[in-house]
Coordinates of all heavy atoms in Angstrom, one line a residue:
M1 N 3.2 11.0 -6.1 CA 1.9 10.4 -5.7 C 1.4 11.2 -4.5 O 2.1 11.6 -3.6 CB 2.2 8.9 -5.3 CG 1.0 8.3 -4.6 SD 1.2 6.6 -3.9 CE 2.8 6.1 -4.2
K2 N 0.1 11.4 -4.5 CA -0.6 12.0 -3.4 C -1.8 11.1 -3.0 O -2.6 10.7 -3.8 CB -1.1 13.4 -3.8 CG -1.7 14.1 -2.6 CD -2.1 15.5 -2.9 CE -2.7 16.1 -1.7 NZ -3.2 17.4 -1.9
I3 N -1.8 10.9 -1.7 CA -3.0 10.1 -1.2 C -4.0 11.1 -0.8 O -3.8 12.0 0.0 CB -2.5 9.3 0.0 CG1 -1.5 8.2 -0.4 CG2 -3.7 8.6 0.7 CD1 -0.8 7.5 0.8
T4 N -5.2 10.9 -1.3 CA -6.3 11.8 -1.1 C -7.3 11.4 0.0 O -7.9 12.2 0.6 CB -7.1 12.1 -2.4 OG1 -7.7 10.8 -2.8 CG2 -6.3 12.7 -3.5
D5 N -7.3 10.1 0.3 CA -8.3 9.6 1.3 C -7.9 8.2 1.7 O -7.1 7.5 1.0 CB -9.7 9.6 0.7 CG -10.8 9.7 1.8 OD1 -10.4 9.7 3.0 OD2 -11.9 9.6 1.5
R6 N -8.5 7.8 2.8 CA -8.3 6.4 3.3 C -9.6 5.9 3.7 O -10.4 6.7 4.3 CB -7.3 6.5 4.5 CG -7.5 5.4 5.5 CD -6.4 5.4 6.5 NE -6.8 6.3 7.6 CZ -6.0 6.5 8.7 NH1 -4.8 5.9 8.7 NH2 -6.4 7.2 9.7
R7 N -9.9 4.7 3.4 CA -11.2 4.1 3.8 C -10.9 2.6 4.2 O -10.0 2.0 3.7 CB -12.2 4.1 2.6 CG -11.8 3.3 1.5 CD -12.9 3.3 0.4 NE -12.4 2.4 -0.7 CZ -12.5 2.7 -2.0 NH1 -13.1 3.8 -2.4 NH2 -12.0 1.9 -2.9
K8 N -11.8 2.1 5.0 CA -11.7 0.7 5.3 C -11.8 -0.1 4.0 O -12.6 0.2 3.1 CB -12.9 0.2 6.2 CG -12.7 0.6 7.7 CD -11.7 -0.4 8.3 CE -12.0 -0.5 9.8 NZ -11.0 -1.5 10.4
S9 N -11.0 -1.1 3.9 CA -10.9 -1.8 2.6 C -12.3 -2.5 2.3 O -12.9 -3.1 3.2 CB -9.8 -2.9 2.7 OG -9.8 -3.6 1.5
L10 N -12.7 -2.5 1.1 CA -13.9 -3.1 0.6 C -13.7 -4.7 0.6 O -14.7 -5.4 0.8 CB -14.3 -2.7 -0.8 CG -14.5 -1.2 -0.9 CD1 -14.8 -0.8 -2.4 CD2 -15.7 -0.7 -0.1
E11 N -12.5 -5.1 0.5 CA -12.1 -6.5 0.6 C -11.8 -6.8 2.1 O -10.8 -6.3 2.6 CB -10.9 -6.8 -0.3 CG -10.5 -8.2 -0.4 CD -9.3 -8.3 -1.3 OE1 -9.2 -7.6 -2.3 OE2 -8.5 -9.2 -1.0
A12 N -12.6 -7.6 2.7 CA -12.3 -7.9 4.1 C -11.0 -8.6 4.3 O -10.5 -9.4 3.5 CB -13.4 -8.9 4.6
C13 N -10.3 -8.2 5.4 CA -9.0 -8.8 5.7 C -9.3 -10.0 6.6 O -9.9 -9.9 7.7 CB -8.2 -7.8 6.5 SG -6.5 -8.3 6.6
T14 N -8.9 -11.2 6.2 CA -9.3 -12.4 6.9 C -8.3 -12.8 8.0 O -8.6 -13.7 8.8 CB -9.3 -13.6 5.9 OG1 -8.0 -13.7 5.3 CG2 -10.4 -13.4 4.9
E15 N -7.2 -12.0 8.1 CA -6.2 -12.3 9.2 C -6.8 -11.9 10.5 O -7.2 -10.7 10.7 CB -4.9 -11.6 8.9 CG -4.3 -11.9 7.5 CD -3.8 -13.3 7.5 OE1 -3.4 -13.9 8.5 OE2 -3.7 -13.9 6.4
S16 N -6.7 -12.7 11.5 CA -7.2 -12.3 12.8 C -6.3 -11.2 13.4 O -5.1 -11.3 13.4 CB -7.2 -13.5 13.8 OG -7.5 -13.2 15.0
G17 N -6.9 -10.2 13.9 CA -6.1 -9.1 14.5 C -5.6 -8.1 13.6 O -4.7 -7.3 13.9
W18 N -6.0 -8.1 12.3 CA -5.5 -7.2 11.3 C -6.7 -6.4 10.7 O -7.8 -6.8 10.7 CB -4.9 -8.0 10.1 CG -3.6 -8.6 10.4 CD1 -3.3 -9.6 11.3 CD2 -2.3 -8.3 9.8 NE1 -2.0 -9.9 11.4 CE2 -1.3 -9.1 10.4 CE3 -2.0 -7.4 8.8 CZ2 0.0 -9.0 10.1 CZ3 -0.6 -7.4 8.4 CH2 0.3 -8.2 9.1
D19 N -6.3 -5.2 10.3 CA -7.3 -4.3 9.7 C -6.7 -3.9 8.3 O -5.5 -4.0 8.1 CB -7.4 -2.9 10.4 CG -8.2 -3.1 11.7 OD1 -9.1 -3.9 11.8 OD2 -7.9 -2.4 12.7
A20 N -7.6 -3.6 7.4 CA -7.1 -3.3 6.0 C -7.8 -2.0 5.6 O -9.0 -1.7 5.8 CB -7.5 -4.4 5.0
F21 N -7.0 -1.2 4.9 CA -7.4 0.1 4.4 C -7.1 0.2 2.9 O -6.1 -0.3 2.5 CB -6.7 1.3 5.1 CG -7.0 1.3 6.6 CD1 -6.1 0.6 7.5 CD2 -8.1 1.9 7.2 CE1 -6.3 0.5 8.8 CE2 -8.3 1.9 8.5 CZ -7.4 1.2 9.4
D22 N -7.9 0.9 2.2 CA -7.6 1.3 0.8 C -7.2 2.7 0.9 O -7.9 3.6 1.4 CB -8.8 1.2 -0.1 CG -9.2 -0.3 -0.4 OD1 -8.4 -1.1 -0.3 OD2 -10.4 -0.5 -0.7
L23 N -6.0 3.0 0.4 CA -5.4 4.4 0.3 C -5.7 4.9 -1.1 O -5.1 4.3 -2.1 CB -4.0 4.4 0.7 CG -3.6 3.8 2.1 CD1 -2.2 4.0 2.3 CD2 -4.4 4.5 3.1
L24 N -6.5 5.9 -1.3 CA -6.9 6.4 -2.6 C -5.9 7.5 -3.0 O -5.5 8.3 -2.2 CB -8.3 7.0 -2.5 CG -9.4 6.1 -1.8 CD1 -10.7 6.9 -1.7 CD2 -9.6 4.9 -2.6
T25 N -5.6 7.4 -4.3 CA -4.6 8.3 -4.8 C -5.2 9.3 -5.8 O -6.3 9.0 -6.4 CB -3.5 7.5 -5.6 OG1 -4.0 6.7 -6.6 CG2 -2.7 6.6 -4.6
E26 N -4.5 10.4 -6.0 CA -5.0 11.5 -6.8 C -5.0 11.1 -8.3 O -5.9 11.5 -9.1 CB -4.2 12.7 -6.6 CG -4.7 14.0 -7.2 CD -3.9 15.1 -6.8 OE1 -2.6 15.2 -7.0 OE2 -4.5 16.1 -6.1
E27 N -4.1 10.2 -8.7 CA -3.9 9.8 -10.1 C -3.6 8.3 -10.1 O -3.2 7.7 -9.0 CB -2.8 10.5 -10.8 CG -3.1 12.0 -10.9 CD -2.0 12.8 -11.7 OE1 -1.2 12.1 -12.3 OE2 -2.0 14.0 -11.6
P28 N -3.8 7.6 -11.2 CA -3.5 6.2 -11.3 C -2.0 5.9 -10.9 O -1.1 6.7 -11.2 CB -3.7 5.8 -12.7 CG -4.7 6.9 -13.2 CD -4.3 8.1 -12.5
L29 N -1.8 4.8 -10.2 CA -0.4 4.5 -9.8 C 0.5 4.3 -11.0 O 0.2 3.5 -11.9 CB -0.4 3.2 -9.0 CG -1.1 3.3 -7.6 CD1 -1.3 1.9 -7.0 CD2 -0.3 4.2 -6.7
S30 N 1.7 4.9 -11.0 CA 2.6 4.8 -12.1 C 3.8 4.0 -11.6 O 3.9 3.7 -10.4 CB 3.1 6.2 -12.5 OG 3.9 6.8 -11.4
D31 N 4.7 3.6 -12.5 CA 6.0 2.9 -12.1 C 6.7 3.8 -11.0 O 7.2 3.2 -10.0 CB 6.9 2.7 -13.3 CG 6.4 1.7 -14.2 OD1 5.8 0.7 -13.8 OD2 6.6 1.8 -15.5
E32 N 6.8 5.1 -11.2 CA 7.5 5.9 -10.3 C 6.8 5.9 -8.9 O 7.5 5.9 -7.9 CB 7.6 7.4 -10.8 CG 8.4 7.5 -12.1 CD 7.7 7.1 -13.3 OE1 6.4 7.0 -13.4 OE2 8.4 6.8 -14.3
D33 N 5.5 5.9 -8.9 CA 4.8 5.9 -7.6 C 5.1 4.6 -6.8 O 5.4 4.6 -5.6 CB 3.3 6.0 -7.8 CG 2.8 7.3 -8.4 OD1 3.5 8.3 -8.2 OD2 1.8 7.3 -9.1
I34 N 5.1 3.5 -7.6 CA 5.3 2.2 -6.9 C 6.7 2.1 -6.4 O 7.0 1.7 -5.3 CB 5.0 1.1 -7.9 CG1 3.4 1.1 -8.2 CG2 5.4 -0.3 -7.4 CD1 3.0 0.3 -9.3
E35 N 7.7 2.5 -7.3 CA 9.1 2.5 -6.9 C 9.4 3.4 -5.6 O 10.2 3.1 -4.8 CB 10.0 2.9 -8.0 CG 10.1 1.9 -9.1 CD 10.8 0.6 -8.8 OE1 11.6 0.6 -7.8 OE2 10.6 -0.4 -9.5
S36 N 8.6 4.5 -5.5 CA 8.8 5.4 -4.3 C 8.4 4.7 -3.0 O 8.8 5.1 -1.9 CB 7.9 6.6 -4.5 OG 6.6 6.4 -4.3
L37 N 7.7 3.6 -3.1 CA 7.3 2.8 -1.8 C 8.4 1.9 -1.3 O 8.3 1.3 -0.3 CB 6.1 2.0 -2.1 CG 4.8 2.9 -2.4 CD1 3.6 1.9 -2.8 CD2 4.4 3.7 -1.2
R38 N 9.6 1.9 -2.1 CA 10.7 1.0 -1.6 C 11.2 1.5 -0.3 O 11.9 0.8 0.4 CB 11.8 1.1 -2.7 CG 11.7 0.2 -3.8 CD 12.9 0.2 -4.7 NE 12.7 -0.6 -5.9 CZ 12.9 -1.9 -5.9 NH1 13.3 -2.6 -4.9 NH2 12.8 -2.5 -7.1
C39 N 10.9 2.7 0.1 CA 11.4 3.3 1.4 C 10.7 2.6 2.6 O 11.2 2.7 3.7 CB 11.2 4.8 1.4 SG 9.5 5.3 1.3
M40 N 9.6 1.9 2.3 CA 9.0 1.2 3.4 C 9.8 0.0 3.9 O 10.4 -0.6 3.0 CB 7.6 0.8 3.0 CG 6.6 1.9 2.7 SD 6.3 3.0 4.1 CE 5.4 1.9 5.2
E41 N 9.8 -0.3 5.1 CA 10.5 -1.4 5.6 C 9.8 -2.7 5.2 O 8.6 -2.8 5.2 CB 10.6 -1.4 7.2 CG 11.5 -0.2 7.7 CD 11.5 -0.2 9.2 OE1 11.4 -1.3 9.8 OE2 11.8 0.9 9.7
G42 N 10.6 -3.7 4.8 CA 10.0 -5.0 4.4 C 10.5 -5.4 3.0 O 11.2 -4.7 2.3
S43 N 10.1 -6.6 2.6 CA 10.5 -7.1 1.3 C 9.6 -6.4 0.3 O 8.4 -6.3 0.4 CB 10.4 -8.6 1.3 OG 9.1 -9.0 1.4
F44 N 10.3 -6.0 -0.8 CA 9.6 -5.3 -1.9 C 9.6 -6.2 -3.1 O 10.6 -6.6 -3.6 CB 10.3 -3.9 -2.2 CG 9.7 -3.1 -3.3 CD1 8.7 -2.2 -3.1 CD2 10.1 -3.3 -4.6 CE1 8.1 -1.5 -4.1 CE2 9.6 -2.5 -5.6 CZ 8.6 -1.6 -5.4
M45 N 8.4 -6.4 -3.7 CA 8.3 -7.1 -5.0 C 7.4 -6.3 -5.9 O 6.4 -5.9 -5.6 CB 7.6 -8.5 -4.7 CG 7.4 -9.3 -6.0 SD 6.6 -10.9 -5.7 CE 5.0 -10.3 -5.1
Y46 N 7.9 -6.2 -7.2 CA 7.2 -5.5 -8.2 C 7.3 -6.3 -9.5 O 8.4 -6.4 -10.1 CB 7.7 -4.0 -8.4 CG 6.9 -3.2 -9.4 CD1 5.6 -3.5 -9.7 CD2 7.6 -2.2 -10.1 CE1 4.9 -2.7 -10.6 CE2 6.9 -1.4 -11.0 CZ 5.6 -1.7 -11.3 OH 4.9 -0.9 -12.2
L47 N 6.2 -6.8 -10.0 CA 6.2 -7.6 -11.2 C 5.7 -6.8 -12.3 O 4.5 -6.9 -12.7 CB 5.4 -8.9 -11.0 CG 5.9 -9.8 -9.9 CD1 5.0 -11.0 -9.6 CD2 7.3 -10.3 -10.2
R48 N 6.6 -5.9 -12.9 CA 6.2 -5.0 -13.9 C 6.0 -5.7 -15.3 O 5.4 -5.1 -16.2 CB 7.1 -3.8 -14.0 CG 8.5 -4.2 -14.4 CD 9.4 -3.0 -14.6 NE 9.8 -2.5 -13.2 CZ 10.0 -1.3 -12.9 NH1 9.8 -0.3 -13.8 NH2 10.3 -0.9 -11.7
Q49 N 6.5 -6.9 -15.5 CA 6.4 -7.5 -16.8 C 5.0 -8.2 -17.0 O 4.8 -8.6 -18.1 CB 7.5 -8.6 -16.9 CG 7.3 -9.8 -16.0 CD 7.9 -9.7 -14.6 OE1 8.0 -8.6 -14.1 NE2 8.1 -10.8 -14.0
L50 N 4.2 -8.2 -16.0 CA 2.9 -8.8 -16.2 C 1.9 -7.9 -16.9 O 2.1 -6.7 -17.0 CB 2.3 -9.2 -14.8 CG 3.0 -10.2 -14.0 CD1 2.4 -10.4 -12.7 CD2 3.2 -11.5 -14.7
K51 N 0.8 -8.5 -17.5 CA -0.2 -7.6 -18.2 C -0.8 -6.6 -17.3 O -1.0 -5.5 -17.6 CB -1.3 -8.6 -18.7 CG -2.3 -7.9 -19.6 CD -3.3 -8.9 -20.2 CE -4.2 -8.1 -21.1 NZ -5.2 -9.1 -21.7
K52 N -1.0 -7.0 -16.0 CA -1.5 -6.0 -15.0 C -0.4 -6.0 -13.9 O -0.5 -6.8 -12.9 CB -2.8 -6.5 -14.4 CG -4.0 -6.3 -15.4 CD -5.3 -6.6 -14.7 CE -5.6 -5.3 -13.9 NZ -7.0 -5.4 -13.3
P53 N 0.7 -5.2 -14.0 CA 1.8 -5.2 -13.1 C 1.3 -4.9 -11.7 O 0.4 -4.0 -11.4 CB 2.6 -4.0 -13.6 CG 2.3 -3.9 -15.0 CD 0.8 -4.2 -15.1
F54 N 1.8 -5.7 -10.7 CA 1.4 -5.5 -9.3 C 2.7 -5.5 -8.4 O 3.7 -5.9 -8.8 CB 0.4 -6.5 -8.8 CG 0.9 -7.9 -8.6 CD1 1.4 -8.2 -7.3 CD2 1.0 -8.8 -9.6 CE1 1.9 -9.5 -7.1 CE2 1.4 -10.1 -9.4 CZ 1.9 -10.4 -8.1
F55 N 2.4 -4.9 -7.2 CA 3.5 -4.8 -6.3 C 3.0 -5.3 -4.9 O 1.8 -5.3 -4.7 CB 4.1 -3.4 -6.2 CG 3.1 -2.4 -5.5 CD1 3.2 -2.2 -4.1 CD2 2.2 -1.8 -6.2 CE1 2.3 -1.3 -3.5 CE2 1.3 -0.9 -5.7 CZ 1.4 -0.6 -4.3
K56 N 4.0 -5.7 -4.1 CA 3.7 -6.1 -2.7 C 4.9 -5.8 -1.8 O 6.0 -6.1 -2.2 CB 3.4 -7.6 -2.7 CG 2.9 -8.2 -1.4 CD 2.6 -9.6 -1.6 CE 1.9 -10.3 -0.4 NZ 1.6 -11.7 -0.7
I57 N 4.6 -5.3 -0.7 CA 5.6 -5.0 0.4 C 5.1 -5.8 1.6 O 4.0 -5.6 2.1 CB 5.7 -3.5 0.7 CG1 6.1 -2.8 -0.6 CG2 6.8 -3.3 1.8 CD1 6.0 -1.3 -0.5
E58 N 6.0 -6.7 2.1 CA 5.7 -7.4 3.3 C 6.6 -7.1 4.4 O 7.8 -7.1 4.3 CB 5.8 -8.9 3.0 CG 4.7 -9.4 2.1 CD 4.7 -11.0 1.9 OE1 4.6 -11.7 2.9 OE2 4.9 -11.4 0.8
N59 N 6.0 -6.9 5.6 CA 6.7 -6.6 6.8 C 6.0 -7.4 7.9 O 4.9 -7.9 7.7 CB 6.6 -5.1 7.1 CG 7.2 -4.7 8.4 OD1 6.7 -5.0 9.5 ND2 8.3 -3.9 8.3
H60 N 6.6 -7.6 9.0 CA 6.0 -8.4 10.1 C 4.7 -7.8 10.5 O 3.8 -8.5 10.9 CB 6.9 -8.5 11.3 CG 8.2 -9.3 11.1 ND1 8.2 -10.6 10.8 CD2 9.4 -8.8 11.0 CE1 9.4 -11.0 10.6 NE2 10.2 -9.9 10.7
N61 N 4.5 -6.5 10.4 CA 3.4 -5.8 10.9 C 2.4 -5.3 9.9 O 1.3 -4.9 10.2 CB 3.8 -4.6 11.8 CG 4.7 -5.0 12.9 OD1 4.5 -6.0 13.6 ND2 5.8 -4.3 13.1
Y62 N 2.8 -5.3 8.6 CA 1.9 -4.9 7.6 C 2.2 -5.5 6.2 O 3.3 -6.0 6.0 CB 1.9 -3.3 7.5 CG 3.2 -2.7 7.2 CD1 3.8 -2.7 5.9 CD2 3.9 -2.1 8.2 CE1 5.0 -2.2 5.7 CE2 5.2 -1.6 8.0 CZ 5.7 -1.6 6.7 OH 6.9 -1.0 6.5
V63 N 1.2 -5.4 5.3 CA 1.4 -5.8 3.9 C 0.7 -4.7 3.1 O -0.4 -4.3 3.4 CB 0.7 -7.2 3.6 CG1 0.8 -7.5 2.1 CG2 1.3 -8.3 4.5
I64 N 1.5 -4.2 2.1 CA 1.0 -3.2 1.2 C 1.0 -3.9 -0.2 O 1.9 -4.5 -0.6 CB 1.9 -2.0 1.2 CG1 2.0 -1.4 2.6 CG2 1.4 -0.9 0.2 CD1 3.1 -0.4 2.7
K65 N -0.1 -3.7 -0.9 CA -0.2 -4.3 -2.3 C -1.1 -3.5 -3.2 O -2.0 -2.8 -2.7 CB -0.6 -5.7 -2.3 CG -2.0 -6.0 -1.7 CD -2.2 -7.5 -1.7 CE -3.7 -7.8 -1.2 NZ -3.9 -9.2 -1.3
G66 N -0.8 -3.5 -4.5 CA -1.6 -2.8 -5.4 C -1.2 -3.1 -6.8 O -0.3 -3.9 -7.1
V67 N -1.9 -2.5 -7.8 CA -1.8 -2.7 -9.2 C -1.5 -1.4 -9.9 O -2.2 -0.4 -9.7 CB -3.1 -3.4 -9.8 CG1 -3.0 -3.6 -11.3 CG2 -3.3 -4.7 -9.1
K68 N -0.5 -1.4 -10.8 CA -0.2 -0.3 -11.6 C -1.5 0.1 -12.4 O -2.1 -0.7 -13.0 CB 0.9 -0.5 -12.6 CG 1.3 0.6 -13.4 CD 2.4 0.3 -14.4 CE 2.6 1.4 -15.4 NZ 3.7 1.0 -16.4
G69 N -1.8 1.4 -12.4 CA -2.9 2.0 -13.1 C -4.2 2.1 -12.2 O -5.1 2.9 -12.6
D70 N -4.2 1.5 -11.1 CA -5.3 1.6 -10.1 C -5.2 3.0 -9.4 O -4.1 3.5 -9.3 CB -5.4 0.5 -9.1 CG -6.0 -0.8 -9.7 OD1 -6.4 -0.8 -10.8 OD2 -5.9 -1.8 -8.9
M71 N -6.3 3.5 -8.9 CA -6.2 4.8 -8.2 C -6.3 4.5 -6.6 O -6.8 5.3 -5.9 CB -7.3 5.7 -8.6 CG -7.1 6.2 -10.1 SD -8.1 7.5 -10.6 CE -7.7 8.8 -9.6
F72 N -5.8 3.4 -6.2 CA -5.7 3.0 -4.8 C -4.8 1.9 -4.6 O -4.4 1.2 -5.6 CB -7.1 2.6 -4.3 CG -7.6 1.3 -4.7 CD1 -7.4 0.1 -3.9 CD2 -8.2 1.1 -5.9 CE1 -7.8 -1.1 -4.3 CE2 -8.6 -0.2 -6.4 CZ -8.4 -1.3 -5.6
F73 N -4.3 1.7 -3.4 CA -3.6 0.5 -3.0 C -4.0 0.1 -1.6 O -4.6 0.9 -0.9 CB -2.1 0.6 -3.2 CG -1.5 1.7 -2.4 CD1 -0.9 1.5 -1.1 CD2 -1.4 3.0 -2.9 CE1 -0.3 2.5 -0.4 CE2 -0.8 4.0 -2.2 CZ -0.2 3.8 -1.0
R74 N -3.8 -1.2 -1.3 CA -4.3 -1.7 0.0 C -3.2 -1.8 1.0 O -2.1 -2.1 0.7 CB -4.9 -3.1 -0.3 CG -5.5 -3.7 0.9 CD -6.3 -4.9 0.5 NE -7.1 -5.5 1.6 CZ -7.0 -6.7 2.0 NH1 -6.3 -7.6 1.3 NH2 -7.8 -7.1 3.0
F75 N -3.5 -1.5 2.2 CA -2.6 -1.5 3.3 C -3.3 -2.3 4.4 O -4.2 -1.9 5.1 CB -2.3 -0.1 3.8 CG -1.1 0.1 4.7 CD1 -0.2 1.0 4.4 CD2 -1.0 -0.6 5.9 CE1 1.0 1.2 5.2 CE2 0.1 -0.5 6.7 CZ 1.1 0.5 6.3
A76 N -2.8 -3.6 4.6 CA -3.3 -4.4 5.7 C -2.3 -4.3 6.8 O -1.1 -4.4 6.6 CB -3.4 -5.9 5.2
V77 N -2.8 -4.1 8.0 CA -1.8 -3.9 9.2 C -2.4 -4.5 10.4 O -3.6 -4.6 10.6 CB -1.7 -2.3 9.3 CG1 -3.0 -1.6 9.7 CG2 -0.6 -2.0 10.4
H78 N -1.5 -5.0 11.2 CA -1.8 -5.6 12.5 C -2.4 -4.4 13.4 O -1.9 -3.3 13.3 CB -0.6 -6.2 13.2 CG -1.0 -7.0 14.4 ND1 -1.1 -6.4 15.7 CD2 -1.2 -8.3 14.6 CE1 -1.5 -7.3 16.5 NE2 -1.5 -8.4 15.9
R79 N -3.5 -4.7 14.1 CA -4.2 -3.7 14.8 C -3.3 -2.9 15.8 O -3.5 -1.7 16.1 CB -5.3 -4.3 15.6 CG -6.5 -4.6 14.7 CD -7.7 -5.0 15.4 NE -8.7 -5.4 14.4 CZ -9.3 -6.6 14.4 NH1 -9.1 -7.4 15.4 NH2 -10.2 -6.9 13.5
D80 N -2.2 -3.5 16.3 CA -1.3 -2.8 17.2 C -0.4 -1.8 16.5 O 0.3 -1.1 17.1 CB -0.4 -3.9 17.9 CG -1.2 -4.7 18.9 OD1 -2.3 -4.4 19.3 OD2 -0.7 -5.8 19.3
F81 N -0.4 -1.8 15.2 CA 0.5 -1.0 14.4 C -0.3 -0.1 13.4 O 0.3 0.3 12.3 CB 1.6 -1.8 13.7 CG 2.5 -2.5 14.6 CD1 2.2 -3.8 15.1 CD2 3.6 -1.9 15.1 CE1 3.0 -4.4 16.0 CE2 4.4 -2.5 16.0 CZ 4.1 -3.8 16.5
V82 N -1.5 0.2 13.6 CA -2.3 1.0 12.7 C -1.7 2.4 12.4 O -1.8 3.0 11.4 CB -3.8 1.2 13.2 CG1 -4.6 2.1 12.4 CG2 -4.5 -0.2 13.2
G83 N -0.9 2.9 13.4 CA -0.2 4.1 13.2 C 0.8 4.1 11.9 O 1.1 5.2 11.4
E84 N 1.1 2.9 11.5 CA 2.0 2.8 10.3 C 1.3 3.4 9.1 O 1.9 3.9 8.1 CB 2.4 1.3 10.0 CG 3.3 0.8 11.0 CD 4.7 1.5 11.0 OE1 5.2 1.7 9.9 OE2 5.2 1.8 12.1
V85 N -0.1 3.3 9.0 CA -0.8 3.8 7.9 C -0.6 5.3 7.9 O -0.3 5.9 6.8 CB -2.3 3.5 8.0 CG1 -3.1 4.1 6.9 CG2 -2.5 2.0 8.0
D86 N -0.8 6.0 9.0 CA -0.6 7.4 9.1 C 0.9 7.8 8.7 O 1.1 8.8 8.0 CB -0.9 7.9 10.5 CG -2.3 7.7 10.9 OD1 -3.2 7.9 10.0 OD2 -2.6 7.5 12.1
R87 N 1.8 7.0 9.2 CA 3.2 7.3 8.8 C 3.5 7.3 7.3 O 4.1 8.1 6.8 CB 4.1 6.3 9.6 CG 5.6 6.6 9.4 CD 6.5 5.6 10.2 NE 6.6 4.3 9.7 CZ 7.5 3.9 8.8 NH1 8.4 4.8 8.4 NH2 7.6 2.7 8.4
L88 N 2.9 6.2 6.7 CA 3.1 6.1 5.2 C 2.4 7.3 4.5 O 3.0 7.9 3.6 CB 2.5 4.8 4.7 CG 2.4 4.7 3.2 CD1 3.8 4.6 2.6 CD2 1.6 3.5 2.8
M89 N 1.2 7.7 4.9 CA 0.5 8.8 4.3 C 1.2 10.1 4.5 O 1.4 10.8 3.5 CB -0.9 8.9 4.9 CG -1.8 7.8 4.4 SD -3.5 7.8 5.2 CE -4.1 9.4 4.5
E90 N 1.8 10.3 5.6 CA 2.6 11.5 5.9 C 3.8 11.5 5.0 O 4.2 12.5 4.4 CB 2.9 11.6 7.4 CG 3.6 12.9 7.7 CD 3.9 12.9 9.2 OE1 2.9 12.9 10.0 OE2 5.1 13.1 9.6
M91 N 4.5 10.4 5.0 CA 5.8 10.3 4.2 C 5.5 10.5 2.7 O 6.3 11.3 2.1 CB 6.3 8.9 4.5 CG 7.8 8.7 4.0 SD 8.5 7.1 4.6 CE 7.2 5.9 4.2
I92 N 4.5 10.0 2.2 CA 4.2 10.1 0.8 C 3.7 11.5 0.4 O 4.2 12.1 -0.5 CB 3.1 9.1 0.3 CG1 3.8 7.7 0.3 CG2 2.6 9.4 -1.1 CD1 2.8 6.6 0.0
N93 N 2.8 12.1 1.3 CA 2.3 13.4 1.0 C 3.2 14.5 1.2 O 3.0 15.7 0.8 CB 1.0 13.6 1.7 CG -0.1 12.8 1.1 OD1 -0.2 12.4 0.0 ND2 -1.1 12.4 2.0
V94 N 4.4 14.3 1.8 CA 5.4 15.3 2.1 C 6.2 15.5 0.8 O 6.7 16.6 0.5 CB 6.3 15.0 3.3 CG1 7.5 15.8 3.3 CG2 5.4 15.2 4.6
T95 N 6.5 14.4 0.1 CA 7.4 14.4 -1.1 C 6.7 15.0 -2.3 O 5.5 15.1 -2.4 CB 7.9 13.0 -1.4 OG1 6.8 12.1 -1.7 CG2 8.7 12.4 -0.3

């Protein structure tokens, strides 16, 4: 997976003190791309048996979620930890 861009999420984040970003990918998210996110700290859930398989990673400071086949996923993060977005992008784009 390669992240090509980051933008403020089109879906407003309703949590006070949180920001949300859409991380745009070069190709649609595959099972392998989603599984590669297991390295992020937090609880990992991937419901691949659904018609539109989705995943979610929850941590105290951020939530990452997306749908297999989409060309983006959402990263909601507490404003004090916005650097986590850069860390994830760097980690993914290195591999």
Side-chain angles (χ1 to χ4, degrees):
M1 167 183 7
K2 182 175 181 185
I3 297 173
T4 59
D5 201 4
R6 154 175 88 181
R7 66 177 180 221
K8 279 283 205 181
S9 181
L10 301 176
E11 182 180 328
C13 193
T14 58
E15 305 288 333
S16 177
W18 286 64
D19 288 325
F21 301 91
D22 289 335
L23 302 182
L24 310 177
T25 57
E26 191 171 60
E27 296 185 12
L29 292 170
S30 67
D31 287 325
E32 294 79 21
D33 295 332
I34 293 166
E35 289 291 340
S36 74
L37 296 174
R38 280 189 183 272
C39 63
M40 295 298 294
E41 293 179 26
S43 65
F44 179 88
M45 176 183 64
Y46 182 29
L47 299 175
R48 68 177 74 219
Q49 71 275 20
L50 298 178
K51 186 174 182 178
K52 289 187 82 172
F54 75 90
F55 70 94
K56 185 175 186 180
I57 301 167
E58 291 187 57
N59 178 289
H60 294 292
N61 303 317
Y62 57 79
V63 175
I64 303 169
K65 62 183 181 176
V67 176
K68 178 182 173 182
D70 283 353
M71 292 188 65
F72 73 96
F73 57 96
R74 187 167 185 232
F75 197 125
V77 62
H78 189 275
R79 287 190 184 124
D80 292 343
F81 295 92
V82 172
E84 290 296 314
V85 179
D86 296 325
R87 184 174 78 89
L88 172 68
M89 289 177 63
E90 183 178 305
M91 194 169 47
I92 288 174
N93 287 333
V94 166
T95 58

